[in-house]
Amino acid sequence: MSSKIQNLWTGAIRPLLKRPPALQVAALCHRDGADGPEVMLVTSSSGRWILPKGWPIDGLTAAEAAKQEAWEEGGVKKGKVDKTALGRFLSEKRFENGAVIPCETQVFPIAVKSVANDYPEADQRDRIWVSPEKAAEMVDDPGLSNMLETFAAA
């Protein structure tokens, strides 16, 4: 390898590849349904089923930011959010321009008391309530699927 390429690799490229994953926060919204516990899934911009999630928000704790995402993406009006994450999983954030970055997503349970039909992203997303077991089958991220299975078993 030439010294020019070696310098480029060690000075610019290698540090980018070793960066820690970006942090996202997600809301595991749950409620008691007629047939047992239910969790809420919403569609992503590409139509995949996911938990409401987003980036940390300045001035809010991670749990508070997850609750804000639950409102914006799923219409959760009232709910009690756990201050401690249920867990975390590694995934990839896909952007509309095709870029992909690794992310660590911290998941905060929210016991939902009420939802609204009119919320900031209601016209951009579908929302569904399903059993945790069904949700684990519907999501395509293995880490999230495992977390939903663990939640179902609890």
Side-chain angles (χ1 to χ4, degrees):
M1 183 180 310
S2 77
S3 64
K4 195 175 205 180
I5 293 172
Q6 179 67 33
N7 289 342
L8 179 62
W9 171 254
T10 53
I13 298 172
R14 181 191 254 163
L16 288 174
L17 297 176
K18 290 189 168 232
R19 279 200 154 124
L23 175 65
Q24 287 202 299
V25 296
L28 179 59
C29 302
H30 60 94
R31 68 181 185 187
D32 292 328
D35 296 324
E38 297 177 327
V39 297
M40 181 179 70
L41 297 177
V42 298
T43 51
S44 68
S45 57
S46 64
R48 297 174 301 115
W49 290 107
I50 61 170
L51 297 179
K53 68 178 181 169
W55 305 109
I57 300 170
D58 285 343
L60 299 181
T61 66
E64 292 166 338
K67 190 172 182 182
Q68 180 65 30
E69 293 297 333
W71 160 245
E72 292 175 7
E73 297 182 3
V76 174
K77 258 171 86 169
K78 291 184 183 178
K80 181 175 178 358
V81 62
D82 286 2
K83 294 179 182 180
T84 304
L86 173 67
R88 58 188 71 212
F89 64 94
L90 294 175
S91 64
E92 294 179 335
K93 170 68 176 169
R94 303 172 195 157
F95 293 94
E96 290 181 10
N97 67 2
V100 177
I101 61 169
C103 287
E104 176 185 293
T105 303
Q106 293 181 353
V107 179
F108 294 87
I110 299 178
V112 176
K113 297 186 185 344
S114 67
V115 294
N117 289 325
D118 184 21
Y119 51 95
E121 297 183 21
D123 61 340
Q124 301 165 25
R125 299 181 185 272
D126 292 326
R127 171 181 70 193
I128 190 170
W129 289 92
V130 296
S131 71
E133 296 88 357
K134 177 70 174 166
E137 295 172 7
M138 294 172 67
V139 300
D140 68 356
D141 187 286
L144 176 54
S145 180
N146 289 339
M147 186 166 291
L148 288 163
E149 288 172 357
T150 301
F151 185 77

